[in-house]
Amino acid sequence: MGRLFGTDGVRGVANADLTAELALGLSVAAAHVLAEAGSFEGHRPTAVVGRDPRASGEFLEAAVVAGLASAGVDVLRVGVLPTPAVAYLTGALGADLGVMLSASHNAMPDNGIKFFARGGHKLADELEDRIEAEYANQSVNRTGEPWQRPTGAGVGRVKDYGEGFDQYVAHLIGVLPNRLDGLKVVLDEAHGAAARVSPEAFARAGAEVITIGAEPDGLNINDGCGSTHLGLLKDAVREHGAALGIAHDGDADRCLAVDHTGAEVDGDQILAVLALAMRERGELRSDTVVATVMSNLGFKLAMEREGLALVQTAVGDRYVLEEMKEHGYALGGEQSGHVIVLDHATTGDGTLTGMLLAARVVATGRTLADLAAVMQRLPQVLINVPDVDRARVKTSAELAVAVAEAERELGSTGRVLLRPSGTEPLVRVMVEAADIDQARSVAGRLADVVKSALG
């Protein structure tokens, strides 16, 4: 798998790349590294462990729990819950570590492991590097220092913690600025981790809820539904005459939407709507929003027009979060639908985002289409080029020449961005232009060069 940790934990094909042995070893390594960093000092450590409904999550959860308990960590097993719920409960319960088993929006054969530190924040890069090194040192067929296994009362204890569901739902409802009474909403749960939580939270907040993609069987997660496949949601919103539709991915850390006409509302537009709502309530600290370099140019122009500052980071919600924490900003996110409201969440939270968006529709009496029109998306084309050496994006002379030529062609009316995936062997080619045909043409040519130069 090369370097184990990508931009969002460790991912791979379950039982091929991501094995039970790897999950167990990484969990032991994480416990050791956090102990050495002083995170467990003076008390018996506790971890919160959750998963999405993937079939492979069942044996991977068992491996993670075994690894942690064998390292002397008590485990609260919360079952199938969204990633942001595990992060929230890690903080709310005062746990020393959180572990989520999910591959987010990836297809079912994949799975992944995400670690959260005390407070529910993602681990720093430096800690991930140390965990990876510790795992390599202790792996089978390695000759590292043997670790001191606890015995007797020193081993970790494992407890099923069923209260997490209601705690998380209560948290979501408690942070809403207003109820959702009278609002009809369609929720596409991607047959994922939020299949129970999200409908329950919306319903308790007063909304009339219609669900699709809410029958996970362990094999159907993200299969033709959810935030990566909005067709079913668009049809359902129009069929039921709903005010809006909300789509989550497999672990519900992201949210995309459609308005009452079935038109898509992406993460940039959601950020724009929430930014204005939070400024109105006095919650948008420094009148600043944090987004990534993938955000549409139309979002930047909208923020400038509204008198709000925009800070841009590298792609990945972890980098958005780091910028927010460093400077105390309250709102940030990605075009893909990862939205972080830092006063209420330590990671992207698709259910919270959807509820806040719905609350804005109710509070203003305006349609989502009207609210989202605060920004106009410039034509943007994104092409994923698979099976290439993503590490050579910045060093390929052939690719550098092609990018320079594309930028000259676009001039000041567009831009080019090449980004290697943090989790897969592919490169994302993004082109913005004033004209969609030009954007497609330039993106297509660049994608061909990426394939030939890096294939």
Side-chain angles (χ1 to χ4, degrees):
M1 296 176 68
R3 185 180 187 274
L4 291 176
F5 284 93
T7 56
D8 200 19
V10 178
R11 285 192 199 172
V13 177
N15 221 26
D17 303 318
L18 183 56
T19 63
E21 293 86 350
L22 176 58
L24 189 149
L26 283 175
S27 301
V28 170
H32 285 194
V33 167
L34 291 175
E36 291 169 0
S39 298
F40 302 164
E41 191 170 348
H43 65 279
R44 187 178 175 95
T46 300
V48 172
V49 177
R51 63 181 180 89
D52 72 22
R54 293 167 208 263
S56 60
E58 297 167 5
F59 78 78
L60 289 171
E61 176 192 58
V64 166
V65 170
L68 292 172
S70 74
V73 179
D74 291 336
V75 177
L76 297 174
R77 191 165 47 192
V78 298
V80 175
L81 282 178
T83 290
V86 172
Y88 168 73
L89 291 170
T90 299
L93 298 176
D96 303 281
L97 176 66
V99 186
M100 178 67 185
L101 293 155
S102 176
S104 191
H105 61 281
N106 286 21
M108 185 279 297
D110 289 354
N111 215 321
I113 303 176
K114 304 179 188 181
F115 291 102
F116 295 99
R118 175 177 282 275
H121 295 279
K122 289 186 178 181
L123 294 184
D125 290 345
E126 179 265 339
L127 282 176
E128 288 185 342
D129 290 340
R130 287 173 59 185
I131 290 171
E132 190 162 331
E134 179 72 12
Y135 168 75
N137 191 49
Q138 295 181 353
S139 292
V140 177
N141 299 325
R142 301 272 179 168
T143 56
E145 290 294 324
W147 61 283
Q148 296 299 312
R149 296 173 181 267
T151 58
V155 301
R157 304 299 299 272
V158 181
K159 174 184 176 183
D160 287 326
Y161 187 77
E163 298 94 327
F165 179 93
D166 283 326
Q167 279 184 257
Y168 178 58
V169 170
H171 160 69
L172 293 170
I173 296 171
V175 303
L176 282 183
N178 53 270
R179 287 184 54 80
L180 308 180
D181 299 293
L183 186 76
K184 182 187 288 188
V185 58
V186 179
L187 304 177
D188 185 345
E189 303 300 343
H191 297 305
R196 290 179 56 234
V197 162
S198 183
E200 182 73 12
F202 271 87
R204 286 193 199 176
E208 178 185 347
V209 177
I210 298 153
T211 58
I212 60 176
E215 298 178 358
D217 62 9
L219 307 177
N220 58 0
I221 190 169
N222 300 317
D223 187 7
C225 56
S227 61
T228 53
H229 303 88
L230 294 177
L232 293 177
L233 180 61
K234 294 177 182 181
D235 292 342
V237 167
R238 289 189 290 255
E239 176 187 349
H240 294 282
L244 73 159
I246 299 295
H248 302 309
D249 59 339
D251 70 336
D253 66 350
R254 70 170 70 183
C255 163
L256 294 179
V258 300
D259 65 25
H260 69 287
T261 72
E264 295 182 21
V265 178
D266 70 11
D268 286 340
Q269 292 170 297
I270 292 171
L271 273 177
V273 173
L274 296 188
L276 297 184
M278 289 175 64
R279 180 176 66 177
E280 187 178 291
R281 297 194 299 267
E283 299 172 356
L284 191 68
R285 288 188 290 278
S286 302
D287 282 348
T288 298
V289 182
V290 182
T292 77
V293 292
M294 288 292 286
S295 285
N296 191 282
L297 185 57
F299 177 66
K300 180 179 181 180
L301 296 175
M303 294 298 94
E304 290 176 353
R305 186 176 64 251
E306 295 294 331
L308 300 179
L310 173 64
V311 175
Q312 291 186 287
T313 73
V315 175
D317 61 327
R318 68 182 304 138
Y319 303 114
V320 172
L321 180 58
E322 287 172 4
E323 183 72 21
M324 293 173 69
K325 289 166 61 179
E326 182 177 353
H327 298 284
Y329 300 131
L331 178 66
E334 297 185 283
Q335 187 185 67
S336 60
H338 287 113
V339 175
I340 303 169
V341 184
L342 194 54
D343 288 343
H344 308 305
T346 58
T347 185
D349 190 328
T351 303
L352 175 61
T353 300
M355 294 180 76
L356 290 174
L357 191 65
R360 184 61 170 171
V361 170
V362 173
T364 61
R366 297 164 62 186
T367 65
L368 179 57
D370 186 31
L371 292 169
V374 66
M375 70 160 280
Q376 298 299 318
R377 286 180 290 189
L378 293 183
Q380 188 181 70
V381 174
L382 178 64
I383 300 177
N384 290 330
V385 185
D387 303 320
V388 293
D389 184 358
R390 62 187 180 183
R392 293 197 293 120
V393 168
K394 294 182 179 180
T395 59
S396 169
E398 180 182 352
L399 193 54
V401 170
V403 169
E405 290 177 353
E407 289 175 338
R408 281 195 296 272
E409 178 181 338
L410 294 170
S412 61
T413 61
R415 65 179 180 130
V416 172
L417 182 65
L418 301 186
R419 184 177 75 86
S421 169
T423 57
E424 303 171 78
L426 61 82
V427 171
R428 308 185 197 281
V429 178
M430 192 276 285
V431 175
E432 282 180 337
D435 177 75
I436 185 62
D437 290 332
Q438 183 185 33
R440 287 173 178 155
S441 174
V442 172
R445 293 200 305 271
L446 282 175
D448 288 341
V449 175
V450 169
K451 191 169 185 177
S452 64
L454 307 183

